[in-house]
Amino acid sequence: MAKGARLPRERSGGWVWFAASIFYPLCRLLAKRINKGTTLPARGPVILVMNHISHLDPVYDSVFVHKQRRTPRFLAKASLWEKPFVGKVLTGTGQIPVFRGTMQARDSLKHASDALEQGGVVVVYPEGTITRDPDGWPMASRTGVGWMTLDNLDKDVLVLPCARWGTLSILDVYKKKYRIFPRARISTTIGEPVDLSKYKGLPVTNTLAREVTDLLMHKVMDLVGEIRGETPPADFYHYVKPKPAPKPAPEAEKT
């Protein structure tokens, strides 16, 4: 191949191009993009570990990956497949359902490993949902990405931390705020590959999965700090779901 020539785009299919036809114009309409740092490799399996601050993240992150001529595979909650038409798009574009709290929970990791064996890019939001940190920093994460990473250490999978900032200024569901104009500025940066060789050959346990998860997310948090020009907190925010208010006692029957 001639010097400077681009490799052919990774095969994707009609559903990916259908989604791209919607996502690309939407992204251009709502924000200006700034991408910097390490780029994705043209070929080979990649786990892209990212922060999650807005429902718009998958839109911008999928375009970010697709513009680098790769096809993103996201792990997403299985309930999305129940929505009319959305489920067809998710299946057609090769996304991976996550069945939380069920016997099928491990199936998502198996499907992710299958995608990696085929040389794909798997995008993971380890927090599992939009961060509850009041300042938008990553919160304590689930250990799925740790298990996935450890399960694939012997397959030469590239593990890349990645941070994106700016989508929260467009759509903030917790504060019920959205803004279309003026256009936001969205920055995305990929860090250097994480060296996990010291974990090879070790028995995979919950403790080890937690250690790897926190290691990866600290690198993501550092990247978020670089984009924001701020020093990140030393530890992750731990969200505790409020307990529902107790039901009032029934009134005594009148006699």
Side-chain angles (χ1 to χ4, degrees), residues 2 10 135 165 209 226 253 255:
E10 187 175 85
D135 297 317
W165 188 253
E226 289 180 17
E253 292 185 7
T255 56

Side-chain angles (χ1 to χ4, degrees), residues 128-170:
T129 187
I130 297 169
T131 182
R132 288 280 189 169
D133 184 280
D135 297 317
W137 297 101
M139 65 179 180
S141 299
R142 300 170 186 269
T143 58
V145 70
W147 285 96
M148 183 196 312
T149 301
L150 291 167
D151 286 346
N152 291 279
L153 280 182
D154 59 345
K155 299 175 185 175
D156 295 322
V157 175
L158 203 63
V159 182
L160 294 174
C162 182
R164 164 251 318 105
W165 188 253
T167 49
L168 192 62
S169 63
I170 304 173

Side-chain angles (χ1 to χ4, degrees), residues 6-40:
R6 303 179 73 183
L7 287 170
R9 180 180 290 278
E10 187 175 85
R11 294 187 63 183
S12 53
W15 280 109
V16 170
W17 284 106
F18 170 78
S21 70
I22 298 173
F23 288 178
Y24 273 70
L26 180 63
C27 289
R28 286 194 294 268
L29 173 67
L30 297 177
K32 299 176 182 178
R33 302 207 55 155
I34 303 171
N35 300 329
K36 56 184 179 179
T38 304
T39 57
L40 292 174

